[in-house]
Every structure is written in structure tokens, then in C-alpha cells.
Amino acid sequence: MQKIHVKTPLVEMDGDEMTRIIWQMIKDELLKPFLDMRTIYFDLGLKHRDDTDDQVTLESAQATAEYGVAVKCATITPNQDRVVEYNLKKAWRSPNGTIRGILDGTVFRAPIILKNIKPMLRTWQKPIIIGRHAYGDVYRNQEFKVPGSGKAELVFTPTDGGEPVRLTIHDFNGPGVIQGIHNTEKSIRSFARACIQFAIAQKMPLWFATKDTISKTYHAFFRDVFQSEVDAHKAELDAAGIEYFYTLIDDAVARVIRHEGGFLWACMNYDGDVMSDMLATGFGSLALMTSVLVNPDGIMEFEAAHGTVQRHYYAHLRGEKTSTNATASIFAWTGGLARRGELDETPDVVAFAKALEAAVLETIESGEMTKDLTQLCEPPVKRYLTTEEFILAVRQRLEAKLG
Ligand code: NAP
Ligand code: MG
């Protein structure tokens, strides 16, 4: 069989524990036999991050900015237990946080839809993707317990020496509580642009919602900045046939519940936090959730939304057969390959990515799946496959598809 040539290398970020094992299996069984592909490889495994004083994480993010597309395996974010377990110099920062900071990106979470894994809601037929604005608001607040009577004020002092602005928050007659939150125009603009880029790449309508009827300045600022970015990108959105839809957050929630899906929902930070958990649960399983970091210029990094599946890894180390679901990790690769193929204008690479995704879906839909899905499946399935058996079952279908 003639191997398919991938023109520009993908940036590859290797990771930890069970997902690292799966990562290697995916490359050996599902990619290398079919693709003539070189990657720009970075080992983000915890030991190597420690050995390089976390420089490897910075370098991998810089390479992503240079090449445009990355795929990432799940990684450990070390806490004190991990510092002991891996004998680390220190508890290094979350790699995802570091990469997000360097690329100024927004994270989008997308569920993988299967015929035999039914969402909790009958209406949901297609993915609903959430883009969460991951800066500011209540996550960067100042808050204060008011002990008793007194005046609470909002004060802004301009750096250029202008008159301070003072606004009364409340005249307290007794104890209470106050909070100050902020956001920046720059961050909201980056968020809006990342959402626009992703909607265009995925060819999906774009929704955004705030509570601007109540918060006529703060939330209205989000609405207006977002709208101005949509206006600035009107030609691109029109060319891709993408509609922008703005509504109130409570109206959006009601519509999401009765909608068939197939759109990108841009959310303010708190809404995104709450609603992404609602959607992940509603669609079925963390093992079927992918995650894409998109920067305002369209640079993308694909990964699984789940972690390194530590419990399964320890079972694996004890020599036990695990049944870990590789679906989201496979889709990280196919997402990256499809994006690479689009940018390189190599339709055969895009077609390979789609064939591999189809092979995964058909494998599970035919009743061959890992243990986590057997309980969610309709009709229920008794037998489950091991980690390796599942990947080999996908390979068989992929080979059949590619002739
Ligand atoms: P996790 O890896 O997401 O796994 C939690 C549990 O969810 C697993 O024990 C397993 O349940 C189930 N699960 C998750 N993914 C699965 C899959 N692919 N197949 C089958 N079952 C799956 O979370 P964790 O074990 O709490 O965290 C482990 C490490 O991951 C932590 O060190 C954390 O820092 C890191 N993490 C990394 C990322 C990332 O890189 N993006 C994200 C989150 C967490 P059962 O045990 O019941 O089978
Ligand atoms: Mg949450």
C-alpha cells in the first residue's frame, strides 16, 4: 500500500501514564503503517519536563506557533504527591496553562457522537462545542466580607493623572459581602477571534450570550467587543457561510436544551465552566470528549479532554490488562491531521483523518468497545475489549476502508 504523505510536520507533544502507552500504540498501529509522516517531537512526560526545568513545554509551544498545528497527549499536572512520586525539583505549572498562555488561546471542548451511546437529551444529534473564555471575571476577583455598616465604593484611578472615578456599590447598614471583578478588551477580543477562527474551521454557526439586560455595562461590553470582531471578520464568515447568533444567556440555555446541536457556543468564563460540565455529562463520557486550543490567528493544538488515566496505568504496571478508551486520543490525532491537511491543501491527508474517525465510530457502533462505554451503550454490551484489542479492531476497519 502506498503511504499517504503528510507535507508539513505536526508538532507532537508526548505525555504521561496510560495515555502515553496509548499514544505509542496509536502511532504504531493506526498512523505509521499508513502515513509517511514526520513530527516535531517534544517529550512532555513529567520526568523530562523536570530534567529540562520545564523548558521543553515552552519549546513545544513555540514550535506550535511556528508550525501552526500540534497534537498533545495528556500530561500530569504535578501536585505534592507527584513531586514525591517522580522525585521532582518542584511542582511545575500545568503544561496546558503554560501553552495556553504562550499561544493566547481559547479551549474548545467537542463531544464525539455515536449511534449507540445516546446523549441524556433526545434532541441532541450533533456535537455542541463550548468555547470558554478562560480569563478574568469571578476567576480573578477581589472579594471582601463586609463586617458592618459602611460605604462600599468602586474607585478607578487613571495612570495618566486624571480625576479618579468613584461609584457607590452599596451603603451597608450591617454585615454583608462585596466583590470586584474585571476583564480586558484585549482578552475579550482574542477570545472572540479564536471563536470566529474555530467556527470557520469547523463550518459551524457561532453563538454567544451574556446577561446584558441586567449588566448594561460589563456584559454589554462583552457583547459589543464580540460583535465588533464579528463585523471585522464579516467577509470570512460570509465566505464560509457561518452565521453569528447573539442572545441572552438564559435564552441560550433554553435553546441549547431543545436544539439538535451542530454549533459552537462561545461562553463567558463562568458560563463556560458550568455549561461544559453539563454538556460533557449530557453527551455521555469524558473518554468521548476532545479538546482543542485555538489561538486568535488560527493556530491549533488538539488533545483528549481527559487526563492520564492514572488508575489504569497502575493496573498496567502491575501487569494487568486494562480497558482504556483510546477514542479521544485518536481524535486528537485525526483533528490535527485534518487541520494540517486543510492548511497544506492535501485532501488525501484530510480523507485519511476522516477514514480513521469513521473506523473508530464503526468499531464502537458494531459493539466492539472498551469497558467505560459498555454501561452507557444501547443496547447494553456484555463483552468489552482491552486497550490493545480495541486499537487493533479499529486498525482492521481502517485497513478495510483504505483498501
Ligand atoms: P483522568 O485521567 O481523566 O481519569 C479519571 C477517571 O475517568 C479514570 O480513572 C477512569 O475511570 C475515567 N477515564 C478517563 N479517561 C478514560 C479513558 N480514556 N478510558 C477509560 N476511562 C477513562 O483523571 P485523573 O486520573 O484524576 O488524573 C490523572 C492525571 O491527569 C492527573 O495527574 C492530572 O493532572 C492529569 N490531567 C491532565 C489533563 C490534560 O493533560 N489535559 C486533564 C485532566 C487531568 P475509572 O477509574 O472508573 O475506570
Ligand atoms: Mg466546571
Side-chain angles (χ1 to χ4, degrees):
M1 194 191 299
Q2 179 82 31
K3 286 192 186 181
I4 299 161
H5 179 63
V6 183
K7 200 162 129 194
T8 312
L10 283 167
V11 172
E12 176 188 354
M13 304 167 179
D14 209 341
D16 289 301
E17 299 194 312
M18 200 59 211
T19 40
R20 187 181 179 100
I21 309 275
I22 288 176
W23 199 251
Q24 192 61 47
M25 287 182 188
I26 293 171
K27 288 194 284 182
D28 290 344
E29 299 295 340
L30 302 176
L31 302 174
K32 282 180 187 162
F34 309 99
L35 297 176
D36 162 26
M37 172 177 71
R38 195 167 71 84
T39 67
I40 310 293
Y41 178 88
F42 295 92
D43 182 2
L44 265 55
L46 184 51
K47 194 76 198 103
H48 193 241
R49 274 181 277 150
D50 193 55
D51 289 343
T52 62
D53 292 337
D54 211 23
Q55 278 304 307
V56 67
T57 308
L58 293 178
E59 284 164 17
S60 73
Q62 283 153 359
T64 304
E66 185 183 334
Y67 286 87
V69 187
V71 287
K72 180 178 170 292
C73 178
T75 46
I76 293 169
T77 297
N79 53 18
Q80 223 28 61
D81 292 346
R82 299 298 201 161
V83 170
V84 176
E85 182 183 354
Y86 285 81
N87 190 22
L88 302 177
K89 295 172 195 158
K90 64 183 239 195
W92 302 102
R93 286 186 54 191
S94 149
N96 287 5
T98 302
I99 296 164
R100 195 167 63 219
I102 292 171
L103 296 177
D104 181 22
T106 300
V107 173
F108 298 88
R109 281 178 144 211
I112 296 159
I113 308 281
L114 291 146
K115 287 202 188 87
N116 51 347
I117 311 285
K118 299 269 188 267
M120 301 286 172
L121 288 174
R122 282 177 310 215
T123 42
W124 292 353
Q125 307 284 340
K126 300 179 199 163
I128 298 169
I129 301 181
I130 283 202
R132 171 182 171 190
H133 181 215
Y135 175 81
D137 303 349
V138 67
Y139 303 85
R140 288 279 182 106
N141 66 356
Q142 277 294 354
E143 44 186 24
F144 174 65
K145 230 170 170 175
V146 175
S149 300
K151 190 187 201 57
E153 287 182 307
L154 209 53
V155 183
F156 173 73
T157 314
T159 353
D160 65 9
E163 273 301 299
V165 179
R166 305 183 89 89
L167 298 169
T168 303
I169 296 169
H170 191 64
D171 284 311
F172 284 91
N173 299 322
V177 67
I178 56 173
Q179 164 172 248
I181 61 171
H182 79 280
N183 223 298
T184 67
E185 182 176 333
K186 182 169 178 283
S187 173
I188 302 167
R189 258 185 218 292
S190 290
F191 166 61
R193 281 165 52 204
C195 291
I196 290 165
Q197 293 291 340
F198 193 64
I200 291 172
Q202 296 292 314
K203 299 180 181 58
M204 280 187 166
L206 172 59
W207 293 23
F208 183 48
T210 72
K211 192 71 181 178
D212 60 340
T213 45
I214 299 300
S215 171
K216 291 183 183 348
T217 304
Y218 196 101
H219 281 227
F221 187 71
F222 273 80
R223 177 199 64 205
D224 295 345
V225 170
F226 210 107
Q227 182 68 52
S228 79
E229 285 298 326
V230 168
D231 293 343
H233 292 83
K234 189 170 180 336
E236 280 170 77
L237 287 163
D238 285 351
I242 306 299
E243 275 183 39
Y244 174 62
F245 174 60
Y246 175 83
T247 186
L248 281 172
I249 184 66
D250 28 9
D251 178 51
V253 171
R255 285 171 189 265
V256 162
I257 296 298
R258 54 175 197 262
H259 203 282
E260 63 165 8
F263 58 92
L264 169 60
W265 186 11
C267 284
M268 286 178 70
N269 208 347
Y270 178 80
D271 299 335
D273 182 349
V274 176
M275 290 301 153
S276 62
D277 284 310
M278 188 271 281
L279 284 183
T281 311
F283 274 108
S285 165
L286 202 56
L288 295 177
M289 189 65 77
T290 61
S291 175
V292 198
L293 176 73
V294 180
N295 105 328
D297 303 319
I299 293 165
M300 295 189 190
E301 179 236 295
F302 295 80
E303 67 172 332
H306 61 75
T308 60
V309 209
Q310 181 182 19
R311 197 185 65 78
H312 295 209
Y313 180 59
Y314 289 158
H316 169 83
L317 289 182
R318 289 193 300 268
E320 294 164 26
K321 288 275 179 208
T322 69
S323 180
T324 317
N325 191 343
T327 303
S329 298
I330 297 172
F331 272 63
W333 278 102
T334 56
L337 283 166
R339 176 70 179 167
R340 194 63 271 167
E342 257 173 40
L343 295 178
D344 289 349
E345 297 180 13
T346 48
D348 51 345
V349 174
V350 179
F352 172 81
K354 296 298 151 202
L356 177 48
E357 288 182 359
V360 173
L361 301 183
E362 285 166 24
T363 302
I364 300 173
E365 286 171 354
S366 75
E368 294 183 286
M369 63 190 78
T370 44
K371 193 177 179 183
D372 55 305
L373 297 183
T374 53
Q375 300 117 26
L376 301 169
C377 183
E378 272 177 40
V381 175
K382 286 222 172 63
R383 201 181 92 82
Y384 58 81
L385 305 185
T386 64
T387 309
E388 205 162 9
E389 285 168 345
F390 176 74
I391 289 172
L392 292 175
V394 171
R395 177 171 176 166
Q396 268 189 357
R397 278 176 196 272
L398 180 63
E399 276 171 353
K401 271 182 192 303
L402 298 174

